[in-house]
Amino acid sequence: VETAPLRWEEGALLVLDQRRLPAREEWLRCTTVEQVAEAIRTMAVRGAPAIGLAAAYGMALGARDPERSAELLAATRPTAANLRWALNRARDALRAPVTTGGQDEEDPDPAEILLSHARRLHEQQLEGEHRLAALGAERLEPGDRVLTHCNTGALATGAYGTAGAVLSTAWERGRLGSVWVDETRPLLQGARLTAWELGRLGIPYRLVADASAGALMARGLVDRVLVGADRIAANGDVANKIGTYPLAVLADRHGIPFLVVAPVSTIDPAAPDGTSIPIEERDPGELLGSAAPGTADALNLAFDVTPAELVTAVVTEAGVLEPPYGETIARAVAGRA
Amino acid sequence: VETAPLRWEEGALLVLDQRRLPAREEWLRCTTVEQVAEAIRTMAVRGAPAIGLAAAYGMALGARDPERSAELLAATRPTAANLRWALNRARDALRAPVTTGGQDEEDPDPAEILLSHARRLHEQQLEGEHRLAALGAERLEPGDRVLTHCNTGALATGAYGTAGAVLSTAWERGRLGSVWVDETRPLLQGARLTAWELGRLGIPYRLVADASAGALMARGLVDRVLVGADRIAANGDVANKIGTYPLAVLADRHGIPFLVVAPVSTIDPAAPDGTSIPIEERDPGELLGSAAPGTADALNLAFDVTPAELVTAVVTEAGVLEPPYGETIARAVAGRA
């Protein structure tokens, strides 16, 4: 994938530094787990599925002390379910017997096990995202004007994308008119990253302020809302980039379908509902910038929770989940195990 | 008023350049109506009541050709009702017989008539805003955490403020805990101006991204929403800074009172409802800034319309208006004539 924000090359994880986009395409070369953790923490790589994948590669770099590496990576960002899921999978891979076509090795190299695990995860993720993109595209209609928030394309997953992949596939299949892109304050993932991706894909879009959604919907300019997710609770409550919940409330008022697109690894069966999802507070400085008075303080909540009742459907690689989410999510999770 | 953004001095209108705040306090000296129109158009002075007042002073500077001056000023910004109201009042003043304590002058100087009209308007506005501030403060409770949007203090009116004046008076009277300040994209009137004003007044506040309101309300951190208005239709629909309508929808969902604070001059009896209010689209460049790709386009709607059904009350200098707005607004407008 041309825009894939991470790849393995000669013993290092190369990470496209998303903080510099779209002005510059700079790659970070991570050769230690500490460097990977720092890239996740500082959001050089971001997007729940992408940080899960980066963490899987990070485990390969930190194979000498897997427990410490997993702790280091888990501590970077609290909300994304995929991160913890990927770390658990990596631990499982270490414990599993290695089958190498009949040849049993005495001491399999943990670094090799973890690297081949990460590569497999990367491939599975790419396949899964193509499946969910196809399923999601069927939910769109030709000419649809879709409102989206934050960034959910290849940059957000390291592969094809979530909501962004649905937009790509729908565009290829003539099932998309244009996209409204929320700029997504404070870090402007929409203005910087989604605009960059859609421009490269040739998909027509216009940027809007995050607070514009109400006016756009009231004017009949939005046919569907598509967003990704950072964690989905067992009851279908969805944690996603701050500003997602207002979009869902407005979509509900205007009778507009509100679709969440995410891999099954985003579901956290251990979280009964949104109240048990930890919500990251980031540095107020990200919000204050240079505009506010020097004495100003800010509350910089990175995510909010959209109650399941406002979610029309959750598009996953295992199928499109609909209410009652308690049941459909449980089935999807059982299928993944 | 210490922070008054405009005052008359030695034949010129001095305008505090709000584009430079809070970094620098620079004053523009306008000696022609063209300069006043430019200051309004470029938002050196902004806020519906303040641009009405600036236009009144601008008429005094353009007294040689009042019709042309009124047209020039009216064309600067389409949404604010106060601008057109102030221009109509200036025209009325020119037509009215001049009473100067019994001494009738043969040829009263239009510039003098228009200047004394503007000064009177300024005084009336200050008095009116103190009245509405007192009425609004009674609607708050000690400890209230109020969410506000854009800037509605002295900077927005040239006098004491609208929603911001309510916050000032409520704070003085012990009826306010703290304020959540929406940064208000794209021009950051909240982060730059409201933060600056609240800081000077010693009122505790924290900045938040515009998209945070849903998360704050869901956590029970907002007791009331207070906003200003740029135009209020006869049925109570309210045009205000983009992002106001989503706040009203969220407040409704969470059972939080949504109060609009505005002078009666903001009411446009000629607009039956929100659909007849012209909504300004501003330069996409204000939104794109330097973050988006160079090829990006944006839709920069400056205002949205909040339906009357979501407005708990409209606080004016003539009293607190409540539903049914068709009746209460008609009475308030009749009282102003």
Side-chain angles (χ1 to χ4, degrees), chain B residues 114-199:
Chain B
L114 288 167
L115 178 58
S116 75
H117 164 72
R119 288 183 192 273
R120 204 162 51 240
L121 195 69
H122 204 158
E123 282 162 24
Q124 285 168 358
Q125 205 155 300
L126 184 61
E127 285 166 23
E129 288 168 14
H130 276 280
R131 272 202 303 281
L132 65 75
L135 290 169
E138 285 171 26
R139 289 301 184 107
L140 304 195
E141 301 288 340
D144 263 3
R145 295 152 305 173
V146 173
L147 177 71
T148 192
H149 194 62
C150 199
N151 172 261
T152 57
L155 290 169
T157 71
Y160 187 40
T162 56
V166 172
L167 297 176
S168 296
T169 294
W171 176 251
E172 286 166 9
R173 298 184 184 178
R175 301 181 76 82
L176 175 64
S178 60
V179 183
W180 295 109
V181 179
D182 274 355
E183 60 172 350
T184 317
R185 287 284 297 159
L187 295 180
L188 300 172
Q189 290 93 335
R192 295 190 299 107
L193 308 178
T194 302
W196 185 71
E197 288 187 334
L198 293 177

Side-chain angles (χ1 to χ4, degrees), chain A residues 232-239 244-245 247-253 255-260 272-274 305-314 321-326 329, chain B residues 218 250 252-254:
Chain A
I232 301 175
N235 74 335
D237 289 354
V238 174
T244 302
Y245 169 48
L247 297 181
V249 172
L250 288 163
D252 181 56
R253 180 175 167 91
I256 296 168
F258 180 87
L259 302 172
V260 173
D273 59 38
V305 174
T306 299
E309 71 195 71
L310 299 176
V311 178
T312 309
V314 179
L321 313 183
E322 293 187 328
Y325 289 114
I329 283 179
Chain B
L250 288 163
D252 182 54
R253 180 176 166 90
H254 290 278

Side-chain angles (χ1 to χ4, degrees), chain A residues 37 40 55 59 67-80 83-84 87 91:
Chain A
I40 296 173
M59 286 297 287
E67 279 313 309
R68 184 184 159 272
S69 296
E71 271 172 37
L72 194 67
L73 290 162
T76 53
R77 299 198 64 197
T79 303
L83 175 60
R84 269 142 282 272
L87 293 172
R91 285 199 196 92

Side-chain angles (χ1 to χ4, degrees), chain A residues 6-54:
Chain A
L6 46 86
R7 61 172 191 266
W8 185 264
E9 202 177 281
E10 296 172 11
L13 177 65
L14 298 189
V15 171
L16 178 56
D17 189 344
Q18 300 189 34
R19 297 166 302 182
R20 306 282 169 258
L21 288 176
R24 289 193 299 281
E25 295 183 30
E26 291 179 7
W27 291 78
L28 301 177
R29 186 180 159 83
C30 302
T31 55
T32 66
V33 62
E34 286 80 6
Q35 289 169 341
V36 175
E38 183 68 4
I40 296 173
R41 199 186 57 74
T42 60
M43 294 177 69
V45 55
R46 32 65 49 200
I51 65 182
L53 207 47

Side-chain angles (χ1 to χ4, degrees), chain A residues 221-234:
Chain A
L221 299 174
V222 179
D223 300 303
R224 251 160 270 266
V225 178
L226 254 73
V227 297
D230 289 79
R231 192 182 300 214
I232 301 175

Side-chain angles (χ1 to χ4, degrees), chain B residues 47-88:
Chain B
I51 67 182
L53 207 47
Y57 284 113
M59 286 297 287
L61 290 169
R64 207 150 358 151
D65 190 346
E67 279 314 309
R68 183 184 160 273
S69 296
E71 272 172 36
L72 193 68
L73 290 162
T76 52
R77 300 199 63 198
T79 302
N82 320 61
L83 175 60
R84 270 141 281 272
W85 177 83
L87 294 173
N88 289 337

